Amino acid sequence: MLRLLPVTTTQDYSLFFILNEYSIEHWKRQIAQITEKHGMASFIVHPDYIVEPRTRDTYKSLLAYLADLRSKGKIWNALPREINQWWRARSQMKLVRQGSSWVVEGPERERARVAYALLDGGRLRYELA
């Protein structure tokens, strides 16, 4: 089965050469909107579009911003193959009742967490068990 990862952010060419934007503010807004809905932000950056110092500096700023979010535990920076590995393992996991609580069983279960979805002031929030 072919599985595709969606492109969810503006591509570098469009940002630099159509929108004429050389800051990461546009990408930051998109990241905020995506993470607010617990989605996946994916980027396409072509090496031939980040040759000039101005575009390269913008890309470096994006990488620094993503590294900062990762260090704060806000995002998981993953390669497509890592996402594929996670979902293949996840498809074999089960949520099982154990006494008065729930546990995850299956391969790589140590990478999974039980969380409860709560509505908090009209917003979805997760609470780890």
Side-chain angles (χ1 to χ4, degrees), residues 118-125:
L118 307 165
L119 275 179
D120 184 7
R123 295 181 55 93
L124 184 62
R125 179 173 64 84

Side-chain angles (χ1 to χ4, degrees), residues 27-102:
W27 278 331
K28 284 171 122 177
R29 285 190 301 274
Q30 290 179 317
I31 292 166
Q33 291 172 338
I34 292 165
T35 57
E36 183 179 307
K37 301 292 184 187
H38 310 285
M40 180 183 75
S42 61
F43 296 85
I44 292 181
V45 177
H46 301 84
D48 49 335
Y49 298 144
I50 58 169
V51 173
E52 298 174 17
R54 183 166 59 162
T55 56
R56 190 175 323 113
D57 289 345
T58 304
Y59 183 55
K60 286 179 183 178
S61 294
L62 172 64
L63 294 178
Y65 180 69
L66 293 173
D68 183 56
L69 290 176
R70 180 187 63 216
S71 72
K72 293 175 180 173
K74 304 273 185 188
I75 63 169
W76 172 39
N77 282 10
L79 295 170
R81 71 172 173 261
E82 294 169 313
I83 296 167
N84 178 47
Q85 290 166 348
W86 161 249
W87 281 107
R88 286 181 188 273
R90 172 64 186 86
S91 70
Q92 297 175 45
M93 293 180 199
K94 290 188 277 185
L95 191 58
V96 177
R97 185 104 174 144
Q98 197 173 66
S100 62
S101 60
W102 294 92

Side-chain angles (χ1 to χ4, degrees), residues 2-42:
L2 178 65
R3 294 175 192 234
L4 302 174
L5 298 176
V7 174
T8 56
T9 61
T10 302
Q11 290 187 31
D12 56 348
Y13 180 86
S14 298
L15 185 73
F16 301 142
F17 304 112
I18 295 175
L19 298 175
N20 200 32
E21 175 107 23
Y22 293 90
S23 80
I24 64 167
E25 294 308 311
H26 184 76
W27 278 331
K28 284 171 122 177
R29 285 190 301 274
Q30 290 179 317
I31 292 166
Q33 291 172 338
I34 292 165
T35 57
E36 183 179 307
K37 301 292 184 187
H38 310 285
M40 180 183 75
S42 61

